[in-house]
Amino acid sequence: MPLICSRSNLELFSPSPKVQELAKCLGCSPFAASLIEMRDPSLSIKPEVAREWLNPSLTGILGRIDLSERSDQLLKFWENMDPLNNIAVYGDYDVDGICSTVLAMELVMARGAKARYFIPHRHEQGYGLHEDVIARLLQGGTDGIIVVDCGSKD
């Protein structure tokens, strides 16, 4: 038997004047402005902050998160990456390791740098970061190594 939705079960949404004003200011739909309002119901949000939510940049995100005591160095590394760089992505052989490796490769290539990857052989090398592989990558002309999903000890 099909389900029937009567008008009494519907809750219609109508954007508030503040939401409409925010949508006009940002050049976005009232729906997108409504989502921003849900994040900050007081609408004390500044338009430049809302623009960052609508169009996030990796540099902006990296600048706001604490990756370690080396966050500034990592951000500088990312900002200075150019097409002449040869970046190696060192991943892991499990499902999230493969996904992390692909994502890191895509990000590096989006910056225009050359990217290659290394995933250790499950039975021959096992899990984790291996010094001999790092040495070979560096000897092969790698300018930087991005390590993904190798555990916190690495």
Side-chain angles (χ1 to χ4, degrees), residues 4 12 14 22 25 33-34 39 41-42 54 68-69 74 76 80 88 96-97 105-106 117-118 127-128 135 139 142 148:
I4 298 174
L12 299 178
S14 181
L22 183 63
C25 175
S34 297
R39 183 170 176 117
S42 69
L54 290 171
S68 71
E69 64 277 357
L74 295 169
K76 196 173 285 188
N80 293 327
D96 57 328
M105 293 280 296
E106 291 289 331
Y117 65 91
F118 177 82
Y127 183 78
Q139 289 169 354
T142 298
V148 295

Side-chain angles (χ1 to χ4, degrees), residues 76-94:
K76 196 173 285 188
F77 172 78
W78 179 255
E79 289 173 341
N80 293 327
M81 193 181 304
D82 67 36
L84 299 176
N85 288 133
N86 290 304
I87 306 298
V89 177
Y90 192 115
D92 186 34
Y93 47 76
D94 59 11

Side-chain angles (χ1 to χ4, degrees), residues 2-79:
L3 294 175
I4 298 174
C5 182
S6 68
R7 283 184 183 237
S8 64
N9 291 339
L10 295 177
E11 290 185 37
L12 299 178
F13 169 77
S14 181
S16 70
K18 282 185 177 182
V19 167
Q20 291 175 2
E21 182 181 325
L22 183 63
K24 185 176 179 181
C25 175
L26 296 174
C28 68
S29 70
F31 178 72
S34 297
L35 294 176
I36 292 170
E37 180 191 34
M38 286 181 210
R39 183 170 176 117
D40 185 2
S42 69
L43 272 181
S44 61
I45 188 168
K46 296 181 172 93
E48 58 273 8
V49 173
R51 281 189 187 90
E52 175 66 23
W53 288 341
L54 290 171
N55 299 301
S57 69
L58 187 56
T59 301
I61 292 168
L62 289 175
R64 288 192 308 272
I65 59 174
D66 181 16
L67 298 172
S68 71
E69 64 277 357
R70 296 189 182 132
S71 287
D72 291 339
Q73 291 173 314
L74 295 169
L75 182 57
K76 196 173 285 188
F77 172 78
W78 179 255
E79 289 173 341

